[in-house]
CSV table of all heavy atoms in Angstrom, one decimal:
chain,number,residue,atom,x,y,z
B,234,ALA,N,19.1,-0.8,63.3
B,234,ALA,CA,19.8,-0.9,64.6
B,234,ALA,C,18.8,-1.6,65.5
B,234,ALA,O,19.2,-2.2,66.5
B,234,ALA,CB,20.1,0.5,65.1
B,235,LYS,N,17.6,-1.4,65.3
B,235,LYS,CA,16.5,-2.2,66.2
B,235,LYS,C,16.2,-3.5,65.6
B,235,LYS,O,15.2,-4.3,66.1
B,235,LYS,CB,15.2,-1.3,66.2
B,235,LYS,CG,15.4,0.0,67.0
B,235,LYS,CD,14.0,0.7,67.2
B,235,LYS,CE,13.7,1.4,65.9
B,235,LYS,NZ,12.4,2.2,66.0
B,236,GLY,N,16.9,-4.0,64.6
B,236,GLY,CA,16.6,-5.3,64.0
B,236,GLY,C,15.3,-5.3,63.2
B,236,GLY,O,14.8,-6.3,62.9
B,237,GLU,N,14.9,-4.0,62.8
B,237,GLU,CA,13.6,-3.9,62.0
B,237,GLU,C,14.0,-3.5,60.5
B,237,GLU,O,15.2,-3.7,60.1
B,237,GLU,CB,12.8,-2.8,62.7
B,237,GLU,CG,12.3,-3.3,63.9
B,237,GLU,CD,11.6,-2.1,64.6
B,237,GLU,OE1,11.3,-1.1,64.1
B,237,GLU,OE2,11.2,-2.3,65.9
B,238,GLY,N,13.0,-3.2,59.8
B,238,GLY,CA,13.3,-2.7,58.4
B,238,GLY,C,12.8,-3.7,57.5
B,238,GLY,O,12.9,-5.0,57.8
B,239,GLY,N,12.3,-3.4,56.2
B,239,GLY,CA,11.8,-4.3,55.3
B,239,GLY,C,13.0,-5.1,54.5
B,239,GLY,O,14.1,-4.9,54.8
B,240,SER,N,12.5,-5.9,53.6
B,240,SER,CA,13.4,-6.8,52.8
B,240,SER,C,14.6,-6.0,52.1
B,240,SER,O,15.5,-6.6,51.7
B,240,SER,CB,12.7,-7.7,52.0
B,240,SER,OG,12.0,-6.9,50.9
B,241,LEU,N,14.3,-4.7,51.8
B,241,LEU,CA,15.2,-4.0,51.1
B,241,LEU,C,15.8,-2.8,51.9
B,241,LEU,O,16.3,-1.8,51.2
B,241,LEU,CB,14.6,-3.4,49.7
B,241,LEU,CG,14.0,-4.5,48.7
B,241,LEU,CD1,13.2,-3.8,47.7
B,241,LEU,CD2,15.2,-5.3,48.1
B,242,CYS,N,15.6,-2.8,53.2
B,242,CYS,CA,15.9,-1.7,54.0
B,242,CYS,C,17.4,-1.2,53.8
B,242,CYS,O,18.3,-1.9,54.1
B,242,CYS,CB,15.7,-2.1,55.4
B,242,CYS,SG,15.8,-0.7,56.5
B,243,GLY,N,17.4,0.1,53.4
B,243,GLY,CA,18.7,0.7,53.2
B,243,GLY,C,19.5,0.4,51.9
B,243,GLY,O,20.6,1.0,51.8
B,244,LEU,N,18.9,-0.2,51.0
B,244,LEU,CA,19.6,-0.6,49.8
B,244,LEU,C,19.4,0.5,48.7
B,244,LEU,O,18.3,0.7,48.3
B,244,LEU,CB,19.2,-2.0,49.2
B,244,LEU,CG,19.5,-3.1,50.3
B,244,LEU,CD1,18.8,-4.4,49.9
B,244,LEU,CD2,21.0,-3.4,50.2
B,245,PRO,N,20.5,1.0,48.1
B,245,PRO,CA,20.3,2.1,47.2
B,245,PRO,C,20.1,1.6,45.7
B,245,PRO,O,20.8,0.7,45.2
B,245,PRO,CB,21.7,2.9,47.2
B,245,PRO,CG,22.6,1.8,47.7
B,245,PRO,CD,21.8,0.9,48.6
B,246,ILE,N,18.9,2.0,45.2
B,246,ILE,CA,18.6,1.6,43.8
B,246,ILE,C,18.2,2.8,43.0
B,246,ILE,O,18.2,3.9,43.4
B,246,ILE,CB,17.3,0.6,43.9
B,246,ILE,CG1,16.1,1.4,44.5
B,246,ILE,CG2,17.7,-0.6,44.7
B,246,ILE,CD1,14.7,0.7,44.2
B,247,GLY,N,17.9,2.7,41.7
B,247,GLY,CA,17.6,3.6,40.8
B,247,GLY,C,16.2,3.3,40.2
B,247,GLY,O,15.9,2.1,40.1
B,248,ILE,N,15.4,4.3,39.8
B,248,ILE,CA,14.2,4.2,39.2
B,248,ILE,C,14.1,4.6,37.8
B,248,ILE,O,14.4,5.9,37.5
B,248,ILE,CB,13.2,4.9,40.1
B,248,ILE,CG1,13.1,4.5,41.5
B,248,ILE,CG2,11.7,4.7,39.5
B,248,ILE,CD1,12.7,3.1,41.8
B,249,LYS,N,13.7,3.9,36.9
B,249,LYS,CA,13.5,4.3,35.4
B,249,LYS,C,12.6,5.5,35.5
B,249,LYS,O,11.5,5.4,36.3
B,249,LYS,CB,13.0,3.0,34.7
B,249,LYS,CG,12.9,3.4,33.2
B,249,LYS,CD,12.4,2.3,32.4
B,249,LYS,CE,12.4,2.6,30.9
B,249,LYS,NZ,11.9,1.4,30.1
B,250,ASP,N,12.9,6.5,34.8
B,250,ASP,CA,12.1,7.7,34.7
B,250,ASP,C,10.9,7.6,34.0
B,250,ASP,O,10.3,8.5,33.5
B,250,ASP,CB,12.9,8.9,34.3
B,250,ASP,CG,12.4,10.2,34.8
B,250,ASP,OD1,11.6,10.2,35.8
B,250,ASP,OD2,12.7,11.3,34.4
B,251,LEU,N,10.2,6.3,34.0
B,251,LEU,CA,8.9,6.1,33.5
B,251,LEU,C,7.9,5.9,34.6
B,251,LEU,O,6.8,5.8,34.4
B,251,LEU,CB,8.9,5.1,32.5
B,251,LEU,CG,7.9,4.9,31.5
B,251,LEU,CD1,7.9,6.0,30.5
B,251,LEU,CD2,8.0,3.5,30.7
B,252,PHE,N,8.5,5.6,35.8
B,252,PHE,CA,7.6,5.4,37.0
B,252,PHE,C,7.3,6.7,37.8
B,252,PHE,O,8.2,7.5,38.1
B,252,PHE,CB,8.3,4.5,38.0
B,252,PHE,CG,8.5,3.0,37.5
B,252,PHE,CD1,9.6,2.8,36.8
B,252,PHE,CD2,7.5,2.1,37.7
B,252,PHE,CE1,9.9,1.5,36.4
B,252,PHE,CE2,7.8,0.8,37.3
B,252,PHE,CZ,9.0,0.5,36.5
B,253,ALA,N,6.0,7.0,37.9
B,253,ALA,CA,5.7,8.3,38.6
B,253,ALA,C,6.1,8.1,40.0
B,253,ALA,O,5.9,7.1,40.7
B,253,ALA,CB,4.2,8.4,38.5
Side-chain angles (χ1 to χ4, degrees):
Chain B
K235 289 189 277 182
E237 294 171 7
S240 61
L241 297 168
C242 188
L244 295 166
I246 61 165
I248 303 296
K249 185 179 186 179
D250 205 14
L251 201 64
F252 293 88

